[in-house]
Amino acid sequence: MGGGSGRCRTDGLEVRISTAGPAAGQRFAFLTLTNTSGSACHVRGYVGMLLLTASDHPIPTNLERLSPPGPQTVVLRPGGSAHARLQWTIVPGAGEPAHGACAPTPGLAWITPPDERAHLVVAWNQGVVCGGGHVSTTPLSPGPAPG
């Protein structure tokens, strides 16, 4: 870890979500956390996430933590980033309407950094999330999102 860096706090991070190419019925995006504080800090593990409508109404969100790979400690120097891959389906699941939207379309996401209670708010421009709000995520990895 080096430098005795403490855990990254929510107020010293910013979040971005970028589209990563679709597959049949599946959607992928990268979530990037960037250290905006003036000193190094570290993150380890998974972010938390809650999807909301554009008018701040929560949408059921079921975040699944994928492994392997398992969590690793990532040191973020000032301006440094860590990323995770998100995956979800746009195919209606059991109990969801087969025609029309399977669920309300999210407009925002609340992202909670690992080991934090406060969240960051980011626009969700990725479309609908079917399957009861199921989104899978990888643990945070070093560096900015690929692409």
Side-chain angles (χ1 to χ4, degrees), residues 67-81:
S67 77
Q72 62 180 303
T73 299
V74 181
V75 174
L76 301 181
R77 300 196 187 298
S81 298

Side-chain angles (χ1 to χ4, degrees), residues 19-41:
T19 303
Q26 299 293 306
R27 295 295 179 263
F28 301 91
F30 287 107
L31 180 146
T32 302
L33 290 178
T34 301
N35 180 359
T36 59
S37 76
S39 57
C41 61

